[in-house]
């Protein structure tokens, strides 16, 4: 690998604003904000709107789409569309 062309890879804290959950992980992302973590060290802080802690797919709070009702409404709405009288 060439030196001095790759971004710096190190520990970063990601905070989910929706669920107020924080994760310490490694990333190339940087930030001017910092936070003191549970281990006493200070790490860069990246605030995200949604993560696996608050996303409906991971939390199991998904909305079930009523696809049958949508199809019936579509067919009722466009029942006579395109027919010649």
């Amino acid at each position: 690998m060439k030196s001095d062309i790759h971004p710096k890879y190190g520990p970063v804290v990601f905070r989910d604003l929706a669920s107020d959950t924080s994760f310490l992980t490694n990333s190339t992302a940087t930030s001017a904000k910092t936070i003191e973590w549970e281990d006493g060290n200070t790490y860069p802080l990246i605030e995200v709107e949604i993560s696996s802690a608050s996303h409906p797919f991971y939390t199991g709070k998904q909305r079930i789409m009523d696809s049958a009702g949508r199809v019936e409404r579509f067919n009722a709405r466009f029942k006579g569309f395109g027919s010649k009288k």
Side-chain angles (χ1 to χ4, degrees), residues 1-20:
M1 289 191 337
K2 293 182 180 180
S3 61
D4 300 329
I5 64 166
H6 299 285
K8 188 176 176 183
Y9 184 75
V12 177
V13 175
F14 287 90
R15 179 186 292 156
D16 183 351
L17 298 175
S19 66
D20 199 34

PDB file of all heavy atoms in Angstrom, residues 1-20:
ATOM      1  N   MET A   1       0.832  -1.180   0.000  1.00  0.00           N
ATOM      2  CA  MET A   1       0.000   0.000   0.000  1.00  0.00           C
ATOM      3  C   MET A   1       0.875   1.241   0.000  1.00  0.00           C
ATOM      4  O   MET A   1       1.923   1.273   0.634  1.00  0.00           O
ATOM      5  CB  MET A   1      -0.884   0.027   1.253  1.00  0.00           C
ATOM      6  CG  MET A   1      -1.969  -0.993   1.228  1.00  0.00           C
ATOM      7  SD  MET A   1      -3.271  -0.876   2.493  1.00  0.00           S
ATOM      8  CE  MET A   1      -2.592   0.006   3.811  1.00  0.00           C
ATOM      9  N   LYS A   2       0.414   2.261  -0.680  1.00  0.00           N
ATOM     10  CA  LYS A   2       1.124   3.521  -0.676  1.00  0.00           C
ATOM     11  C   LYS A   2       0.889   4.215   0.660  1.00  0.00           C
ATOM     12  O   LYS A   2      -0.189   4.133   1.238  1.00  0.00           O
ATOM     13  CB  LYS A   2       0.637   4.425  -1.800  1.00  0.00           C
ATOM     14  CG  LYS A   2       0.975   3.905  -3.171  1.00  0.00           C
ATOM     15  CD  LYS A   2       0.499   4.885  -4.226  1.00  0.00           C
ATOM     16  CE  LYS A   2       0.824   4.385  -5.608  1.00  0.00           C
ATOM     17  NZ  LYS A   2       0.358   5.325  -6.631  1.00  0.00           N
ATOM     18  N   SER A   3       1.896   4.897   1.134  1.00  0.00           N
ATOM     19  CA  SER A   3       1.740   5.603   2.400  1.00  0.00           C
ATOM     20  C   SER A   3       1.139   6.990   2.176  1.00  0.00           C
ATOM     21  O   SER A   3       1.290   7.581   1.108  1.00  0.00           O
ATOM     22  CB  SER A   3       3.097   5.716   3.104  1.00  0.00           C
ATOM     23  OG  SER A   3       3.988   6.450   2.289  1.00  0.00           O
ATOM     24  N   ASP A   4       0.441   7.481   3.173  1.00  0.00           N
ATOM     25  CA  ASP A   4      -0.129   8.832   3.207  1.00  0.00           C
ATOM     26  C   ASP A   4      -1.232   9.083   2.178  1.00  0.00           C
ATOM     27  O   ASP A   4      -1.495  10.231   1.841  1.00  0.00           O
ATOM     28  CB  ASP A   4       0.962   9.892   3.048  1.00  0.00           C
ATOM     29  CG  ASP A   4       1.997   9.813   4.152  1.00  0.00           C
ATOM     30  OD1 ASP A   4       1.621   9.410   5.272  1.00  0.00           O
ATOM     31  OD2 ASP A   4       3.161  10.162   3.897  1.00  0.00           O
ATOM     32  N   ILE A   5      -1.891   8.037   1.643  1.00  0.00           N
ATOM     33  CA  ILE A   5      -3.003   8.279   0.723  1.00  0.00           C
ATOM     34  C   ILE A   5      -4.312   7.730   1.274  1.00  0.00           C
ATOM     35  O   ILE A   5      -5.375   8.040   0.762  1.00  0.00           O
ATOM     36  CB  ILE A   5      -2.747   7.690  -0.680  1.00  0.00           C
ATOM     37  CG1 ILE A   5      -2.644   6.170  -0.623  1.00  0.00           C
ATOM     38  CG2 ILE A   5      -1.526   8.298  -1.312  1.00  0.00           C
ATOM     39  CD1 ILE A   5      -2.722   5.521  -1.984  1.00  0.00           C
ATOM     40  N   HIS A   6      -4.256   6.921   2.317  1.00  0.00           N
ATOM     41  CA  HIS A   6      -5.452   6.311   2.883  1.00  0.00           C
ATOM     42  C   HIS A   6      -5.941   7.124   4.079  1.00  0.00           C
ATOM     43  O   HIS A   6      -5.142   7.686   4.823  1.00  0.00           O
ATOM     44  CB  HIS A   6      -5.163   4.872   3.311  1.00  0.00           C
ATOM     45  CG  HIS A   6      -4.745   4.004   2.163  1.00  0.00           C
ATOM     46  ND1 HIS A   6      -5.647   3.543   1.237  1.00  0.00           N
ATOM     47  CD2 HIS A   6      -3.542   3.546   1.778  1.00  0.00           C
ATOM     48  CE1 HIS A   6      -5.003   2.823   0.330  1.00  0.00           C
ATOM     49  NE2 HIS A   6      -3.718   2.820   0.639  1.00  0.00           N
ATOM     50  N   PRO A   7      -7.259   7.193   4.273  1.00  0.00           N
ATOM     51  CA  PRO A   7      -7.775   7.932   5.429  1.00  0.00           C
ATOM     52  C   PRO A   7      -7.409   7.226   6.729  1.00  0.00           C
ATOM     53  O   PRO A   7      -7.203   6.014   6.764  1.00  0.00           O
ATOM     54  CB  PRO A   7      -9.287   7.938   5.222  1.00  0.00           C
ATOM     55  CG  PRO A   7      -9.569   6.848   4.268  1.00  0.00           C
ATOM     56  CD  PRO A   7      -8.330   6.644   3.452  1.00  0.00           C
ATOM     57  N   LYS A   8      -7.343   7.999   7.788  1.00  0.00           N
ATOM     58  CA  LYS A   8      -6.998   7.457   9.103  1.00  0.00           C
ATOM     59  C   LYS A   8      -8.158   6.619   9.625  1.00  0.00           C
ATOM     60  O   LYS A   8      -9.320   7.039   9.577  1.00  0.00           O
ATOM     61  CB  LYS A   8      -6.712   8.609  10.063  1.00  0.00           C
ATOM     62  CG  LYS A   8      -6.174   8.181  11.385  1.00  0.00           C
ATOM     63  CD  LYS A   8      -5.841   9.393  12.232  1.00  0.00           C
ATOM     64  CE  LYS A   8      -5.381   8.951  13.608  1.00  0.00           C
ATOM     65  NZ  LYS A   8      -5.122  10.106  14.463  1.00  0.00           N
ATOM     66  N   TYR A   9      -7.869   5.425  10.091  1.00  0.00           N
ATOM     67  CA  TYR A   9      -8.871   4.478  10.574  1.00  0.00           C
ATOM     68  C   TYR A   9      -8.697   4.335  12.078  1.00  0.00           C
ATOM     69  O   TYR A   9      -7.619   3.965  12.552  1.00  0.00           O
ATOM     70  CB  TYR A   9      -8.662   3.137   9.877  1.00  0.00           C
ATOM     71  CG  TYR A   9      -9.688   2.077  10.210  1.00  0.00           C
ATOM     72  CD1 TYR A   9     -10.964   2.142   9.678  1.00  0.00           C
ATOM     73  CD2 TYR A   9      -9.373   1.010  11.032  1.00  0.00           C
ATOM     74  CE1 TYR A   9     -11.902   1.167   9.964  1.00  0.00           C
ATOM     75  CE2 TYR A   9     -10.291   0.032  11.320  1.00  0.00           C
ATOM     76  CZ  TYR A   9     -11.562   0.110  10.784  1.00  0.00           C
ATOM     77  OH  TYR A   9     -12.490  -0.845  11.059  1.00  0.00           O
ATOM     78  N   GLY A  10      -9.743   4.659  12.839  1.00  0.00           N
ATOM     79  CA  GLY A  10      -9.612   4.571  14.285  1.00  0.00           C
ATOM     80  C   GLY A  10     -10.953   4.534  14.976  1.00  0.00           C
ATOM     81  O   GLY A  10     -12.017   4.560  14.334  1.00  0.00           O
ATOM     82  N   PRO A  11     -10.947   4.490  16.303  1.00  0.00           N
ATOM     83  CA  PRO A  11     -12.199   4.397  17.055  1.00  0.00           C
ATOM     84  C   PRO A  11     -13.014   5.687  16.976  1.00  0.00           C
ATOM     85  O   PRO A  11     -12.479   6.790  17.052  1.00  0.00           O
ATOM     86  CB  PRO A  11     -11.738   4.123  18.482  1.00  0.00           C
ATOM     87  CG  PRO A  11     -10.341   4.601  18.541  1.00  0.00           C
ATOM     88  CD  PRO A  11      -9.778   4.463  17.166  1.00  0.00           C
ATOM     89  N   VAL A  12     -14.329   5.532  16.794  1.00  0.00           N
ATOM     90  CA  VAL A  12     -15.274   6.644  16.694  1.00  0.00           C
ATOM     91  C   VAL A  12     -16.556   6.228  17.408  1.00  0.00           C
ATOM     92  O   VAL A  12     -16.948   5.065  17.360  1.00  0.00           O
ATOM     93  CB  VAL A  12     -15.591   6.968  15.214  1.00  0.00           C
ATOM     94  CG1 VAL A  12     -16.630   8.071  15.103  1.00  0.00           C
ATOM     95  CG2 VAL A  12     -14.347   7.353  14.458  1.00  0.00           C
ATOM     96  N   VAL A  13     -17.213   7.174  18.072  1.00  0.00           N
ATOM     97  CA  VAL A  13     -18.495   6.906  18.718  1.00  0.00           C
ATOM     98  C   VAL A  13     -19.603   7.438  17.814  1.00  0.00           C
ATOM     99  O   VAL A  13     -19.566   8.590  17.393  1.00  0.00           O
ATOM    100  CB  VAL A  13     -18.574   7.576  20.106  1.00  0.00           C
ATOM    101  CG1 VAL A  13     -19.964   7.389  20.702  1.00  0.00           C
ATOM    102  CG2 VAL A  13     -17.520   7.006  21.032  1.00  0.00           C
ATOM    103  N   PHE A  14     -20.576   6.578  17.510  1.00  0.00           N
ATOM    104  CA  PHE A  14     -21.762   6.971  16.755  1.00  0.00           C
ATOM    105  C   PHE A  14     -22.920   7.049  17.734  1.00  0.00           C
ATOM    106  O   PHE A  14     -23.192   6.090  18.458  1.00  0.00           O
ATOM    107  CB  PHE A  14     -22.083   5.952  15.652  1.00  0.00           C
ATOM    108  CG  PHE A  14     -21.139   6.014  14.496  1.00  0.00           C
ATOM    109  CD1 PHE A  14     -19.981   5.253  14.482  1.00  0.00           C
ATOM    110  CD2 PHE A  14     -21.407   6.842  13.428  1.00  0.00           C
ATOM    111  CE1 PHE A  14     -19.108   5.305  13.414  1.00  0.00           C
ATOM    112  CE2 PHE A  14     -20.531   6.903  12.348  1.00  0.00           C
ATOM    113  CZ  PHE A  14     -19.382   6.138  12.353  1.00  0.00           C
ATOM    114  N   ARG A  15     -23.635   8.188  17.751  1.00  0.00           N
ATOM    115  CA  ARG A  15     -24.803   8.359  18.623  1.00  0.00           C
ATOM    116  C   ARG A  15     -26.058   8.453  17.763  1.00  0.00           C
ATOM    117  O   ARG A  15     -26.158   9.293  16.885  1.00  0.00           O
ATOM    118  CB  ARG A  15     -24.686   9.620  19.465  1.00  0.00           C
ATOM    119  CG  ARG A  15     -25.931   9.815  20.363  1.00  0.00           C
ATOM    120  CD  ARG A  15     -25.933  11.117  21.105  1.00  0.00           C
ATOM    121  NE  ARG A  15     -24.878  11.103  22.098  1.00  0.00           N
ATOM    122  CZ  ARG A  15     -24.334  12.210  22.581  1.00  0.00           C
ATOM    123  NH1 ARG A  15     -24.712  13.386  22.153  1.00  0.00           N
ATOM    124  NH2 ARG A  15     -23.396  12.125  23.481  1.00  0.00           N
ATOM    125  N   ASP A  16     -27.006   7.567  18.052  1.00  0.00           N
ATOM    126  CA  ASP A  16     -28.304   7.573  17.374  1.00  0.00           C
ATOM    127  C   ASP A  16     -29.188   8.588  18.081  1.00  0.00           C
ATOM    128  O   ASP A  16     -29.508   8.436  19.255  1.00  0.00           O
ATOM    129  CB  ASP A  16     -28.917   6.177  17.439  1.00  0.00           C
ATOM    130  CG  ASP A  16     -30.227   6.074  16.705  1.00  0.00           C
ATOM    131  OD1 ASP A  16     -30.773   7.106  16.284  1.00  0.00           O
ATOM    132  OD2 ASP A  16     -30.706   4.943  16.546  1.00  0.00           O
ATOM    133  N   LEU A  17     -29.587   9.635  17.365  1.00  0.00           N
ATOM    134  CA  LEU A  17     -30.390  10.700  17.962  1.00  0.00           C
ATOM    135  C   LEU A  17     -31.821  10.256  18.239  1.00  0.00           C
ATOM    136  O   LEU A  17     -32.474  10.775  19.142  1.00  0.00           O
ATOM    137  CB  LEU A  17     -30.390  11.932  17.053  1.00  0.00           C
ATOM    138  CG  LEU A  17     -29.013  12.565  16.828  1.00  0.00           C
ATOM    139  CD1 LEU A  17     -29.114  13.690  15.818  1.00  0.00           C
ATOM    140  CD2 LEU A  17     -28.426  13.051  18.134  1.00  0.00           C
ATOM    141  N   ALA A  18     -32.334   9.284  17.490  1.00  0.00           N
ATOM    142  CA  ALA A  18     -33.709   8.833  17.671  1.00  0.00           C
ATOM    143  C   ALA A  18     -33.872   7.995  18.935  1.00  0.00           C
ATOM    144  O   ALA A  18     -34.873   8.113  19.642  1.00  0.00           O
ATOM    145  CB  ALA A  18     -34.168   8.036  16.458  1.00  0.00           C
ATOM    146  N   SER A  19     -32.892   7.158  19.256  1.00  0.00           N
ATOM    147  CA  SER A  19     -33.026   6.280  20.417  1.00  0.00           C
ATOM    148  C   SER A  19     -32.036   6.625  21.527  1.00  0.00           C
ATOM    149  O   SER A  19     -32.039   5.974  22.566  1.00  0.00           O
ATOM    150  CB  SER A  19     -32.821   4.829  20.001  1.00  0.00           C
ATOM    151  OG  SER A  19     -31.489   4.626  19.584  1.00  0.00           O
ATOM    152  N   ASP A  20     -31.193   7.607  21.311  1.00  0.00           N
ATOM    153  CA  ASP A  20     -30.179   8.040  22.271  1.00  0.00           C
ATOM    154  C   ASP A  20     -29.269   6.879  22.691  1.00  0.00           C
ATOM    155  O   ASP A  20     -28.941   6.703  23.850  1.00  0.00           O
ATOM    156  CB  ASP A  20     -30.823   8.695  23.489  1.00  0.00           C
ATOM    157  CG  ASP A  20     -29.822   9.559  24.251  1.00  0.00           C
ATOM    158  OD1 ASP A  20     -28.944  10.153  23.597  1.00  0.00           O
ATOM    159  OD2 ASP A  20     -29.913   9.631  25.492  1.00  0.00           O
TER     160      ASP A  20
END
